Amino acid sequence: MQPGQSLIAMEDICQSYRMGEQHLPVLDNITLTIRRGESCAIVGTSGSGKSTLLNILGLLDQPTSGRFLLDGRDMASATQNERADLRNRLIGFVFQSFNLLPRLSALDNVALPLLYRGHSRHQARQHAHRQIDRVGLADRMAHLPADLSGGQRQRVAIARALVGEPALILADEPTGNLDGDTAQDIMNLLLELNRTQAVTLVMVTHDGDLAQRLDRRLHVQGGRITECPLQRNSFDG
């Protein structure tokens, strides 16, 4: 797939959850296209449906109705195993809470997705070494997560997301637990990867300033989605 082609195509996506006798609507007829190589911020208040939308994009949840194409493949017809395989091959996840395994070194945390793919430990560690070096932590790869700062742990999480060379990175409040300067550093890293590697970046954030740095800003409210114009000023360049 070439940059600019559609990676994500959603049409009339609805999602609701059962609560007792009632169905609680969360997403209401979402139609959305994201091209390969784009960066998109998803913004909105708590409970607006942002995380639900991200879960559907990440193949962690299935919509109640509607059509969702990922890399041209209709997800409605994909089996659980096929969805797991696509998730492992196409998508890298970055979470606010880092989700690192405390007893594994930074290197082995990054290597983990490749072990799930069936790579040998040696091969997985070789690939992980390159990604850790890319995020500037070559001198910290033997450290356990507890021995790393919050910003360093998030860099490890980004390296883990990249180790499988995904087409899509889904980031859920990736700077939410970081101080301002560290948050900017992590954002700079994600945008650099987006611009130099054509990795599609979709990020849920409450930070309006960070959202303005991405190509598009999608506002979710009441289960509906609207695209907001960006106001590029001090963030240009």
Side-chain angles (χ1 to χ4, degrees), residues 148-203:
L148 300 173
S149 69
Q152 289 170 338
R153 276 177 272 172
Q154 191 59 290
R155 285 175 179 269
V156 172
I158 291 169
R160 181 185 56 194
L162 292 171
V163 74
E165 299 182 350
L168 172 65
I169 290 181
L170 299 178
D172 191 0
E173 295 284 358
T175 62
N177 283 332
L178 306 175
D179 63 67
D181 289 341
T182 305
Q184 290 292 342
D185 288 344
I186 293 300
M187 196 66 216
N188 290 340
L189 175 60
L190 288 170
L191 288 175
E192 179 185 359
L193 294 166
N194 165 253
R195 291 164 182 165
T196 61
Q197 305 294 321
V199 177
T200 307
L201 173 62
V202 178
M203 182 179 75

Side-chain angles (χ1 to χ4, degrees), residues 10-234:
M10 291 182 148
E11 184 178 351
D12 298 328
I13 291 290
C14 296
Q15 182 65 292
S16 62
Y17 297 104
R18 191 177 189 88
M19 293 188 66
E21 302 266 330
Q22 297 182 321
H23 286 274
L24 178 67
V26 181
L27 297 179
D28 184 12
N29 288 303
I30 298 288
T31 295
L32 172 66
T33 299
I34 298 175
R35 295 187 300 275
R36 186 180 179 90
E38 280 193 312
S39 61
C40 300
I42 300 176
V43 300
T45 59
S46 295
S48 61
K50 304 188 304 299
S51 293
T52 298
L53 178 59
L54 204 70
N55 285 344
I56 293 174
L57 290 174
L59 307 182
L60 299 173
D61 201 358
Q62 289 197 7
T64 306
S65 62
R67 193 168 185 234
F68 173 30
L69 300 181
L70 178 63
D71 198 19
R73 174 73 186 274
D74 190 342
M75 291 297 97
S77 62
T79 66
Q80 282 291 99
N81 286 340
E82 288 169 337
R83 288 167 65 87
D85 179 64
L86 285 168
R87 195 162 52 237
N88 190 267
R89 286 192 298 105
L90 289 180
I91 303 171
F93 294 90
V94 181
F95 301 98
Q96 178 180 351
S97 57
F98 317 134
N99 285 2
L100 302 177
L101 297 182
R103 295 186 179 182
L104 293 185
S105 67
L107 181 68
D108 287 332
N109 264 287
V110 174
L112 204 56
L114 296 183
L115 295 177
Y116 290 148
R117 285 193 190 184
H119 285 61
S120 71
R121 182 178 174 83
H122 177 68
Q123 288 176 322
R125 280 185 150 200
Q126 279 188 317
H127 288 291
H129 191 294
R130 285 196 290 272
Q131 296 303 333
I132 286 184
D133 188 52
R134 177 192 269 187
V135 301
L137 287 179
D139 60 341
R140 295 287 188 271
M141 67 177 63
H143 288 57
L144 296 176
D147 299 323
L148 300 173
S149 69
Q152 289 170 338
R153 276 177 272 172
Q154 191 59 290
R155 285 175 179 269
V156 172
I158 291 169
R160 181 185 56 194
L162 292 171
V163 74
E165 299 182 350
L168 172 65
I169 290 181
L170 299 178
D172 191 0
E173 295 284 358
T175 62
N177 283 332
L178 306 175
D179 63 67
D181 289 341
T182 305
Q184 290 292 342
D185 288 344
I186 293 300
M187 196 66 216
N188 290 340
L189 175 60
L190 288 170
L191 288 175
E192 179 185 359
L193 294 166
N194 165 253
R195 291 164 182 165
T196 61
Q197 305 294 321
V199 177
T200 307
L201 173 62
V202 178
M203 182 179 75
V204 167
T205 181
H206 283 98
D207 191 321
D209 289 340
L210 293 183
Q212 289 287 342
R213 300 185 61 188
L214 277 67
D215 295 329
R216 299 168 63 189
R217 186 158 60 100
L218 309 172
H219 185 246
V220 181
Q221 183 174 15
R224 300 286 184 110
I225 194 167
T226 56
E227 186 143 2
C228 305
L230 296 178
Q231 300 174 347
R232 304 256 187 212
N233 292 310
S234 58

